[in-house]
Amino acid sequence: MRHSLAAVLVVTAVLLAPPTPEASHLKEQPKKHKIVYHLVEASLDKTRFVLGNIENHIRGVGGFEHIEAIELVVHGPALRHFVKATMDPEVKAALERLQAQGVVLGACGNTMRGLNLSLEQLVPGAHPLPQGGVVRIMELVEQGYVYIRP
């Protein structure tokens, strides 16, 4: 009898519980996301980690068709990881996969000047940010982008 009462109470609780909210990217008309990732750290492992985060992010929302725009803004020591001549093969492959999906790579103009880097020295598809990386991040956040700094 005690087990029957417990079973009835569990079933009743489940039936009366409020519905679990569904993730926005699983609804019929999914939201188109706008995201800016921020990378500044000098660590190669951090660069690989951030690129992996972006790949997982795209997969997690159901693919690039659920993303309106996504930009990776790089400044400071991290920009060295995007110089063609010395680029890590793993970083290069991940970046090429992401750029093929539509991810934009923004390179801080202040950092480029500070490191004496030209746009031609950076990976193909890098967009110079003459106003600076942090200013670009601010502009994107003001436009409704979600800011992520893993």
Side-chain angles (χ1 to χ4, degrees), residues 19-77:
T20 304
E22 188 177 66
S24 66
H25 68 276
L26 298 177
K27 293 180 181 176
E28 279 185 39
Q29 301 247 343
K31 177 181 177 179
K32 291 273 195 164
H33 306 282
K34 296 189 303 187
I35 310 108
V36 57
Y37 274 82
H38 181 189
L39 178 61
V40 67
E41 289 86 355
S43 163
L44 180 59
D45 286 338
K46 183 67 169 203
T47 297
R48 290 177 181 152
F49 176 77
V50 169
L51 295 173
N53 270 190
I54 296 170
E55 288 182 306
N56 290 338
H57 192 147
I58 294 168
R59 250 190 322 277
V61 298
F64 203 81
E65 63 270 15
H66 299 288
I67 295 177
E68 182 177 326
I70 186 166
E71 187 167 329
L72 170 61
V73 174
V74 182
H75 68 95

Side-chain angles (χ1 to χ4, degrees), residues 36-40 71-76 106-111 129-142 147 149:
V36 57
Y37 274 82
H38 181 189
L39 178 61
V40 67
E71 187 167 329
L72 170 61
V73 174
V74 182
H75 68 95
C108 176
N110 296 324
T111 300
L129 305 172
Q131 75 277 39
V134 293
V135 172
R136 178 64 177 161
I137 290 168
M138 177 195 70
E139 292 169 346
L140 293 174
V141 169
E142 288 176 345
Y147 170 78
R149 183 173 176 189

Side-chain angles (χ1 to χ4, degrees), residues 95-106:
L95 183 63
E96 287 172 351
R97 284 191 305 272
L98 290 168
Q99 286 176 315
Q101 293 182 71
V103 173
V104 173
L105 172 65

Side-chain angles (χ1 to χ4, degrees), residues 39 44 47-48 51 72 74 78-99 105 117 119-126:
L39 178 61
L44 180 59
T47 297
R48 290 177 181 152
L51 295 173
L72 170 61
V74 182
L79 194 58
R80 289 187 175 109
H81 298 293
F82 297 91
V83 175
K84 284 186 290 196
T86 58
M87 196 164 188
D88 174 75
E90 211 176 297
V91 169
K92 181 180 182 198
L95 183 63
E96 287 172 351
R97 284 191 305 272
L98 290 168
Q99 286 176 315
L105 172 65
L117 291 171
L119 188 58
E120 293 73 30
Q121 291 173 287
L122 297 177
V123 294

